[in-house]
Amino acid sequence: QQQVKQSPQSLIVQKGGIPIINCAYENTAFDYFPWYQQFPGKGPALLIAIRPDVSEKKEGRFTISFNKSAKQFSLHIMDSQPGDSATYFCAASKGGKLIFGQGTELSVKP
Amino acid sequence: GAVVSQHPSWVICKSGTSVKIECRSLDFQATTMFWYRQFPKQSLMLMATSNEGSKATYEQGVEKDKFLINHASLTLSTLTVTSAHPEDSSFYICSARGTGEPYFGPGTRLTVT
């Protein structure tokens, strides 16, 4: 019930492409769904987050789509750039306690 | 935005010794702090949750006598790895939460030789 499943494990796109990363959760008590970006040797940085009463949220080039009935959410990165190459983690939270997905290593080729 | 610092950023210690890692919230009061561990190429795994002034709550499988957590003030939590062994080598990351969502520190790389 505490698991968050993330896919794909790795992703390669060309510059300008739209990588999509998917996550699924089980526990309906989760009330906050953030996405983090992590570069090697650094802590995770919050990209964008959504609450379950909203189906979509957009901030800059990042969009979260949220499907409450399916217990799934996804991250879309518009007009991806080589600087977006990093590991992305979805997470689900209740009370600030975060359960992370397995991570997706994204590579954006020039 | 809110800033969380960790000290040291990296540490090397000998097997059998203890290491203390500090996590500070610099511009807000953190009523709750979380400690995560991340092995190379893996996800972040929650180790424990601590509330200021009370005992930490450890996740299943985490040895509370080995990973001592103290949250003595609203801006400081410490994680002490006691009798460290090479298998404890990892990236330790804290997050701090006040009234809103948690903010992460930059992490501490621990290498036990």
Side-chain angles (χ1 to χ4, degrees):
Chain A
Q1 273 237 327
Q2 292 295 326
Q3 277 191 322
V4 177
K5 295 182 179 179
Q6 183 174 344
S7 63
Q9 188 174 1
S10 63
L11 190 53
I12 301 173
V13 299
Q14 291 294 126
K15 178 183 174 182
I18 307 175
I20 300 172
I21 306 171
N22 300 296
C23 283
Y25 64 97
E26 298 173 357
N27 189 345
T28 55
F30 290 137
D31 59 5
Y32 175 69
F33 300 88
W35 284 90
Y36 291 89
Q37 179 188 58
Q38 187 179 33
F39 293 103
K42 305 293 185 184
L46 178 65
L47 270 179
I48 186 172
I50 198 168
R51 293 201 179 270
D53 53 349
V54 177
S55 61
E56 186 174 280
K57 183 175 181 181
K58 184 176 180 179
E59 286 184 2
R61 295 185 295 111
F62 302 97
T63 300
I64 297 180
S65 297
F66 188 84
N67 186 328
K68 187 175 180 179
S69 60
K71 294 187 281 187
Q72 295 175 347
F73 58 111
S74 61
L75 175 70
H76 296 59
I77 305 175
M78 311 302 285
D79 188 29
S80 58
Q81 302 296 313
D84 296 329
S85 298
T87 300
Y88 292 80
F89 292 95
C90 65
S93 170
K94 178 68 177 177
K97 178 178 169 179
L98 289 162
I99 305 299
F100 283 85
Q102 294 85 351
T104 296
E105 193 170 352
L106 172 66
S107 178
V108 181
K109 299 297 185 186
Chain B
V3 180
V4 176
S5 70
Q6 281 185 241
H7 178 80
S9 55
W10 59 270
V11 58
I12 301 173
C13 71
K14 291 188 181 296
S15 186
T17 62
S18 296
V19 174
K20 180 183 285 189
I21 302 170
E22 293 185 348
C23 176
R24 293 182 185 273
S25 56
L26 298 185
D27 51 3
F28 68 101
Q29 293 187 323
T31 52
T32 307
M33 286 190 174
F34 305 89
W35 286 94
Y36 295 82
R37 180 167 54 181
Q38 185 178 32
F39 292 107
K41 297 289 188 180
Q42 294 190 22
S43 187
L44 288 79
M45 298 299 294
L46 180 65
M47 298 175 68
T49 303
S50 73
N51 292 298
E52 185 263 339
S54 58
K55 287 185 178 181
T57 302
Y58 291 81
E59 295 298 303
Q60 191 173 6
V62 178
E63 300 174 60
K64 62 180 181 181
D65 294 330
K66 180 171 183 62
F67 298 98
L68 302 180
I69 292 171
N70 184 284
H71 191 170
S73 78
L74 285 171
T75 59
L76 174 64
S77 175
T78 60
L79 167 68
T80 301
V81 183
T82 62
S83 186
H85 288 97
E87 57 265 31
D88 298 322
S89 298
S90 189
F91 193 47
Y92 292 86
I93 310 170
C94 72
S95 73
R97 179 175 185 249
T99 57
E101 301 312 322
Y103 293 90
F104 280 86
T108 296
R109 172 74 59 193
L110 169 64
T111 301
V112 185
T113 61

